[in-house]
Amino acid sequence: MKGVLKKIEEEILYCRKCNLWRERKNPVVGEGSWEAKIMFVGEAPGANEDEKGTPFCGAAGKILDELLNTIGIKREEIYITNILKCRPPQNRNPKEEEIIACSPYLDRQIEIIKPEIICCLGNFSTFYIMKKFGLKGKIQGISRIHGKIFEESFLFGSIKIVPLYHPAVATYNVNMKPLLKKDFEVLKSILE
């Protein structure tokens, strides 16, 4: 399995499917356990992530680590990635054509890791993941569905989708932190 993830990493390193590769310093593939039960999916790397090639290593990453600690989960136990593997200029929102170009990498990461729970961080991630897993009719803005559990069954099992606010929201508005913690308690309840 590690070898297959390594192959995806190499493909991303040389990817030219959209124009984001032109300005990136480092693609941000993802990191964590390839046997993770929980996968966190953000939208795209920010400046710190682009600099280091590591997902969620800036201010939002510190908040994510804090939220994980409140429910007793270590970062090494999960897998963290984004829909886009390269930083959009000025941290702008991902464009549809960029999502179309880059999402096959995410799809393969999901197939390899086979998480039981996917936590979608923000609107773009929520929309993509819910649509992918046949929940398009239940998609609403993150402010309406954050902290809710959506379960989809398949022939060979099921998956839980949990939309969450992106941790960066607490860097702009510290009053959001209690709400983020409450949403993470929902995640803890699934695991118990």
Side-chain angles (χ1 to χ4, degrees):
M1 289 297 179
K2 277 186 180 178
V4 182
L5 283 174
K6 193 75 179 155
K7 184 177 184 308
I8 294 170
E9 189 175 323
E10 287 170 15
E11 287 176 37
I12 292 168
L13 188 62
Y14 297 104
C15 182
R16 305 290 186 265
K17 292 179 183 177
C18 76
N19 286 324
L20 292 179
W21 70 272
R22 295 178 188 277
E23 294 184 36
R24 75 174 183 213
K25 291 182 182 168
N26 293 292
V28 182
V29 178
E31 74 173 12
S33 171
W34 54 275
E35 296 176 318
K37 290 181 180 179
I38 306 170
M39 179 183 270
F40 282 81
V41 180
E43 59 185 43
N48 289 313
E49 291 78 11
D50 182 54
E51 193 68 41
K52 296 180 180 173
T54 303
F56 288 87
C57 63
K62 287 185 177 123
I63 291 169
L64 179 61
D65 290 344
E66 182 184 326
L67 293 166
L68 288 168
N69 286 336
T70 64
I71 61 169
I73 296 176
K74 292 181 173 63
R75 193 170 171 138
E76 307 84 63
E77 298 172 320
I78 62 170
Y79 192 85
I80 307 174
T81 190
N82 289 296
I83 297 172
L84 298 188
K85 309 306 185 191
C86 299
R87 178 184 180 221
Q90 287 78 50
N91 291 351
R92 66 157 166 74
N93 288 334
K95 293 180 179 177
E96 184 66 25
E97 61 269 18
E98 294 164 349
I99 293 171
I100 290 167
C102 206
S103 58
Y105 297 123
L106 172 62
D107 293 345
R108 287 167 55 203
Q109 288 173 310
I110 292 169
E111 286 169 23
I112 292 162
I113 294 167
K114 293 179 179 43
E116 295 172 18
I117 303 162
I118 297 180
C119 296
C120 311
L121 300 173
N123 277 314
F124 285 91
S125 173
T126 297
F127 183 84
Y128 180 79
I129 294 294
M130 289 184 73
K131 186 176 167 189
K132 174 181 172 53
F133 286 98
L135 298 166
K136 187 175 182 179
K138 297 184 180 185
I139 295 172
Q140 297 178 45
I142 197 71
S143 64
R144 300 191 69 171
I145 61 173
H146 67 91
K148 293 187 177 166
I149 302 164
F150 297 88
E151 188 162 0
E152 190 60 27
S153 296
F154 303 99
L155 192 59
F156 300 104
S158 67
I159 191 159
K160 291 178 177 69
I161 311 292
V162 183
L164 298 167
Y165 278 107
H166 194 287
V169 75
T171 66
Y172 310 121
N173 180 355
V174 73
N175 296 326
M176 289 293 288
K177 207 179 255 190
L179 185 58
L180 296 178
K181 286 181 179 178
K182 186 178 174 191
D183 286 350
F184 269 69
E185 286 298 322
V186 170
L187 180 57
K188 183 179 180 181
S189 74
I190 298 171
L191 297 169
E192 289 175 342

